[in-house]
Structure formats: C-alpha cells, structure tokens
C-alpha cells in the first residue's frame, strides 16, 4: 500500500447486539479484483435503516459497516485490476448497492445482474461506505468524470436513490406527456424521482406528508402535491390531479410504509403500471383481483438498476437535470439522521462527510 494510506480509520459499525457505534477499525486491503476507495461522502438511504433494524428477510453481515452511496477517490488497486479497465488510482468512483455479481449466470449474462443469486450487497452482505476507506469490486463501481469537477457530496445520492428511481421510471413505461405519481416524493428517492420524471417530460403528482415536504416537492417540479396526512380521499385526489380525471399512467411506490401499496391500484389509470420500490418490513401488496383484471393494471417490482442504467442516471446528474436536496453532516451524526428518518422528517437526502 502507498505510504499515505493510514492503517486505521473511523467507521460506523453495527455490532452483534444491533447497536451502531463510531469506531476505529483497520483500513481494509483490496483483493486482486478490488480497489481501495478513500470515501469522502456517503448518502444515507432508508435501506441503511432497514439494515440497522435487521427487519428484512435477507441475512446481513455482522459486524457490519453500512452505506451504499459512497463517493470518493481510488487510492489503491488489486493485482488483477488492469489499466484500461476504467478505474485507476486518482479516479472519482462510487460504491453502489451491488458490490459484485457472478458474471456467468443467466441474469448476469443479460445485464440483469441485480437478479444474480450470488450478488454481494454493499453495506449489507459486505462492508459499505460508512467508513473513510472502503474496498469495492472494480467491475461494479460507478464512475464519475474527474475533469468535470464533480461535487461528490451532491453526486453520492445518485449511486442508489438516483439509479433506483431512474430505472423505476423506465419500468413504469410512462411516456413523455403522461402522468406519474411519486409516493414518498419528499424523501431521498422521491426527490430524485420527481426531478428525473420532470426531465423525462412527465407530469408529476407527488404524495408525501406535511407542508415542508410539499414545498420541497413543488420546488423540484411536482405539479400537484397530495398530503396523505390531510387528504380525506387520496384515490379521488390523485385521479383529480390528471387532466382527464382517469389517474396517472405510472406509479412509483417509494414509501417505506404498507398503506400506499394498498391504495395505488385504486388510482392508477386503466392499463397503467404500479412499480413497487420501497420495501416496508413485512408488508404485502394487495389489490382487488376483479379491478386488476378488467382494468388491465400491471404491478411490478423494480430493484436498483444495472451498470448501464447507472451510466445513464449519472449522465442526467452531469447534465444538471437532477440534484438531490442534500444536507451534509459529519459521519459521527449518523445516529441522529436515522432518528429523523424513523420519524419521516428527512426532506431530500442526508450525506455524511466522512472526515468529521
Ligand atoms: N427497490 C430498490 O432497489 C430500492 C433502492 C433504494 C431504496 N429502497 C427502499 O425505498 C424506501 C425509501 O427509501 P428512501 O431512502 O427514499 O427513504 P426516505 O425515508 O428518505 O423517504 C421515504 C418518504 O416516504 C414518506 N412516506 C411515509 N409514509 C408515506 C405514505 N403513507 N404516503 C406517502 N409518503 C409516505 C416519508 O415521509 C418520506 O418522505 C425504503 O424502504 C428503501 O429501503 C428500495
Ligand atoms: Zn439505497
Ligand atoms: Zn450472476
């Protein structure tokens, strides 16, 4: 390792008792196909809270360093990471949710690597970006151009939130000029979803709770804001927000709560698509079979995106079309960020500065 790489670093570690503590731990050494990244900023995704709560039916690593929106600079690389592979020391890169996949299963071969049964997940099955130095797989890191002076704090949320909603909007099959409803629009994924949808030429109907989220959604491009805490008939309000009253063509369900998953088939337009993205613990999607059949409604899941989706999601950011409302705080303040997230108080995305 180069001499300027320290031997120890600060990290937020979840221990076996489920408690998260800021600790001093060794700087990891990259394996042959890995790189070592000096993480400067890391976004905080609601998935990180699911990891802390351990509330998904998916086993995670313990002890765990969470985080999967890590943006930083490559400081070392393994022996098999060849020059010309697009990752060299000094490059700006990002740690996404997908840490590695097998490359040879039927899904990997079709660029559906998120479905790979051998996928390793950053900040979940392997240590992630809530640390100052993290290893990542050279084949799966996201790349930011250094020559464009990319602000890595603003770029970090694209690595999961941006990628996920960009891909989800494509999955909704909504076309320019049509309507899309973003549920959980004031949060991390929702803020970016509103902007990607607007940039794609879609009309945006935002749903979230409280006036602060409403103000943010409107600022980011939502034409109508429906406050789920106030609405007496949410289905009617969403349908009324479309010009012909028939409801939105696409729905992105981003809220980490079950109820919206029961409401969406009520207001989606006939032949429209409901895309499930938020993952409330233990929740079920339910809908009347009769309506689903005779109104020909599609319901599907969407899970992050592939590496080409990442390139495109970053390109929207580089063109200035999307930028999450970001609040930068020290990595030591992660506990407080999770408290705010539990209470639905996060507007946009918190990003951790790993130096403090
Ligand atoms: N499918 C994927 O690939 C993928 C990727 C990333 C995150 N996620 C999941 O998406 C969810 C959201 O993540 P986030 O980081 O944006 O969370 P967040 O906490 O930043 O935002 C969630 C928003 O939902 C709002 N909300 C809560 N109840 C609501 C309701 N009944 N109706 C409308 N809005 C409501 C909250 O007020 C908040 O603004 C999490 O469950 C996360 O695990 C999924
Ligand atoms: Zn995430
Ligand atoms: Zn595979």
């Amino acid at each position: 390792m180069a001499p300027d790489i320290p031997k120890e670093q600060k990290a937020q570690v979840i221990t076996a008792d489920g408690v998260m503590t800021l600790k001093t731990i060794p700087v990891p050494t990259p394996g042959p196909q890995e790189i070592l990244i000096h993480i400067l900023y890391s976004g905080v995704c609601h998935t990180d809270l699911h990891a802390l709560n351990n509330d998904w039916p998916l086993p995670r690593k313990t002890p765990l360093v969470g985080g999967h929106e890590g943006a930083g600079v490559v400081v070392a690389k393994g022996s098999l990471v060849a020059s010309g592979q697009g990752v060299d020391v000094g490059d700006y890169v990002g740690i996404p949710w997908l840490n590695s996949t097998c490359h040879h299963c039927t899904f990997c071969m079709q660029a559906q690597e998120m479905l790979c049964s051998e996928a390793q997940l950053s900040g979940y099955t392997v240590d992630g970006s809530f640390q100052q130095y993290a290893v990542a797989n050279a084949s799966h890191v996201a790349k930011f151009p250094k020559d464009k002076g990319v602000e890595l704090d603003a770029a970090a949320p694209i690595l999961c939130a941006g990628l996920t909603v960009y891909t989800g909007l494509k999955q909704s099959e909504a076309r320019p000029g049509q309507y899309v409803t973003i549920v959980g629009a004031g949060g991390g994924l929702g803020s970016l979803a509103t902007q990607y949808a607007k940039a794609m030429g879609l009309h945006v109907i935002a749903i979230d709770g409280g006036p602060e989220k409403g103000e943010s959604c409107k600022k980011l491009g939502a034409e109508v804001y429906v406050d789920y805490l106030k609405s007496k008939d949410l289905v009617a309000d969403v349908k009324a927000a479309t010009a012909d009253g028939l409801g939105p063509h696409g729905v992105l369900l981003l809220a980490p709560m079950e109820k919206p998953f029961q409401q969406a088939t009520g207001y989606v337009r006939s032949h429209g698509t409901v895309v499930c993205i938020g993952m409330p613990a233990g929740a079920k999607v339910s809908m009347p079979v009769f309506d689903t059949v005779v109104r020909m409604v599609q319901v599907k899941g969407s899970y992050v995106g592939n590496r080409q989706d990442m390139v495109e999601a970053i390109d929207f950011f580089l063109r200035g079309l999307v930028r999450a409302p970001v609040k930068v705080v020290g990595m030591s303040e992660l506990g407080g960020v999770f408290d705010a997230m539990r209470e639905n108080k996060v507007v946009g995305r918190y990003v951790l500065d790993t130096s403090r």
Side-chain angles (χ1 to χ4, degrees), residues 39-45 48 66-72 95 128-131 152-153 156-157 159 326-331 334 337 349-354:
I39 303 289
L40 299 173
Y41 297 100
S42 183
V44 184
C45 179
D48 299 311
H68 56 275
E69 285 185 353
I95 292 192
S129 54
F130 295 155
Q131 55 183 336
L152 291 178
D153 50 352
L159 296 164
V326 156
K327 284 193 198 105
V328 180
V329 298
M331 184 166 70
L334 179 56
V337 175
R349 202 52 139 195
Y350 273 96
V351 170
L352 307 180
D353 174 345
T354 63

Side-chain angles (χ1 to χ4, degrees), residues 130-147:
F130 295 155
Q131 55 183 336
Q132 293 169 317
Y133 290 86
V135 289
N137 216 281
S139 62
H140 281 68
V141 287
K143 290 153 197 164
F144 297 112
K146 211 169 46 171
D147 58 350

Side-chain angles (χ1 to χ4, degrees), residues 100-106 108-109 113 116-120 140:
S100 65
T101 58
C102 80
H103 294 296
H104 54 74
C105 73
T106 182
C108 282
M109 289 201 292
E113 58 257 33
C116 176
S117 62
E118 287 173 40
Q120 295 294 324
H140 281 68

